[in-house]
Amino acid sequence: MDTLIHADIFFFITSVAVVVLTLLLIVALFYFLQILKNFRDISDTLKKGVDHASSHIEELSENIMNNPVFNFLFGKKRASKKRTKKE
């Protein structure tokens, strides 16, 4: 009878431990999902900023290339002629 009481105590303690660990795992998973959502928001913000900056850089590059002072100092780029080999 003594071993039956010990077994009941063991199973009770084990059941409580499993419930507590499950609750802790659920809470940790909740915070992990919140962190992932935050990373997604940060990533979206950075992507929008990079796209915006990219368009401004393209405009700036076009303005510089069309600037007469730049063309006077550095000249226009010449198209390179590729030689074809005759067989």
Side-chain angles (χ1 to χ4, degrees):
M1 192 58 119
D2 192 36
T3 58
L4 187 59
I5 293 173
H6 287 298
D8 286 342
I9 293 171
F10 171 75
F11 287 121
F12 176 75
I13 292 172
T14 304
S15 298
V16 169
V18 167
V19 169
V20 168
L21 288 176
T22 303
L23 290 175
L24 289 175
L25 182 64
I26 290 171
V27 169
L29 185 61
F30 174 75
Y31 281 115
F32 182 70
L33 290 175
Q34 293 296 323
I35 290 170
L36 287 179
K37 182 180 177 283
N38 193 15
F39 279 142
R40 185 182 66 214
D41 293 342
I42 291 170
S43 174
D44 290 342
T45 303
L46 287 174
K47 184 176 182 199
K48 289 176 186 174
V50 167
D51 290 342
H52 187 66
S54 173
S55 66
H56 282 296
I57 289 173
E58 287 177 9
E59 290 176 18
L60 181 64
S61 174
E62 288 176 10
N63 289 341
I64 289 174
M65 293 302 235
N66 294 332
N67 190 335
V69 175
F70 180 82
N71 289 332
F72 176 73
L73 292 175
F74 298 106
K76 292 229 181 217
K77 289 186 178 179
R78 296 180 184 166
S80 63
K81 296 180 181 179
K82 292 184 180 179
R83 294 183 182 182
T84 58
K85 293 183 180 180
K86 295 182 181 179
E87 295 181 23

